[in-house]
Amino acid sequence: MQTWDPNEYARHARFVSDLGQPVVDLLNPKRGERVLDLGCGDGALTEKLVTAGCHVVAVDSSPEQVWAALERGLDARIVDATALGFNSEFDAVFSNAVLHWITEPDTVLQEIRSALVPGGRLVAEFGGAGCVASIQDAFGVALGKRGIDADCANPWYFPTADEYRGRLEANGFTIDMLSVFPRPTPLPSDVRAWLEIFTRPFLATVPEEDRLDLVNEVRLLLEPALKTTDGIWVVDYVRLRTAASKVT
Ligand code: BEZ
């Protein structure tokens, strides 16, 4: 299971919320709007919505991240995205870099739909088809050598534009915009930190004493594709960005 350490996240993955500003801009938050921040993490983007004058409920399944969000003075709650349990309470649902962690996309879209008022909008960005393909491939090779099927440990859902369009429509949304685009992302530190933070489900397939070897091997496999000549690691992120409205 994926778990989060807010301190490590803040040190090595602050870029995730820093790069979320275009999603906030797409939401175009209005003073007085009720917004659900789905997968708020430590609340860095939730704060922006509050500053814009929104009444925000922030939810995340990670207790550690919710505690970090509470320390910012936010209304943050430990809630699983597949069981949100809200009923027509929000003008908008906002979600950055979270929906690719949920492998039941229809369930979460139904929960989002229930949370929204009629006409309410969903504005979200997450990983699209091909996201971190080099990293998925490297785990395929390194775990394959150990007799482990990496696909069984893969925690991510990275849909194509067509697939997600179909799901949104089937779950009662009209699509205002949807695009999938590459966003090569320079890391602030060695890819080792990224692997340790984001790939725990792959790492957990081997005994704890073997994880350092696995990380080292994956890192070596990735070096030719992801490390630039000036020593910066650039990860092959692909984003799916969408704005959709609940059909009334
Ligand atoms: C993403 O934001 O696309 C992402 C983050 C961690 C792992 C995989 C994808």
Side-chain angles (χ1 to χ4, degrees), residues 16 97 100-101 126-127 131-132 156 158 183 194 198 237-239:
V16 174
H100 51 261
W101 289 105
F126 59 104
C131 191
V132 297
W156 300 317
F158 294 135
R183 192 203 64 196
W194 193 98
F198 289 111
Y237 276 74
V238 174
R239 313 314 288 159

Side-chain angles (χ1 to χ4, degrees), residues 94-112:
F94 170 86
S95 185
N96 181 55
V98 169
L99 294 178
H100 51 261
W101 289 105
I102 302 160
T103 50
E104 296 165 60
D106 294 315
T107 306
V108 72
L109 283 173
Q110 278 305 314
E111 289 293 301
I112 291 169

Side-chain angles (χ1 to χ4, degrees), residues 79-172:
V79 180
D80 193 288
T82 59
L84 292 174
F86 296 107
N87 185 11
S88 296
E89 289 163 59
F90 296 99
D91 301 301
V93 173
F94 170 86
S95 185
N96 181 55
V98 169
L99 294 178
H100 51 261
W101 289 105
I102 302 160
T103 50
E104 296 165 60
D106 294 315
T107 306
V108 72
L109 283 173
Q110 278 305 314
E111 289 293 301
I112 291 169
R113 186 181 154 75
S114 298
L116 287 168
V117 297
R121 56 208 201 280
L122 164 64
V123 173
E125 182 170 306
F126 59 104
C131 191
V132 297
S134 63
I135 294 172
Q136 298 185 80
D137 289 349
F139 274 105
V141 172
L143 291 178
K145 271 174 53 183
R146 292 163 171 80
I148 298 166
D149 181 355
D151 289 342
C152 294
N154 194 323
W156 300 317
Y157 168 66
F158 294 135
T160 63
D162 280 350
E163 181 194 332
Y164 209 65
R165 251 188 230 111
R167 284 195 196 278
L168 281 166
E169 285 168 355
N171 284 290

Side-chain angles (χ1 to χ4, degrees), residues 47-75:
E47 253 179 3
K48 292 186 185 251
L49 306 180
V50 170
T51 302
C54 298
H55 305 293
V56 188
V57 174
V59 298
D60 204 289
S61 61
S62 159
E64 292 80 7
Q65 292 284 48
V66 167
W67 295 331
L70 286 170
E71 277 174 17
R72 294 179 188 259
L74 300 166
D75 176 355

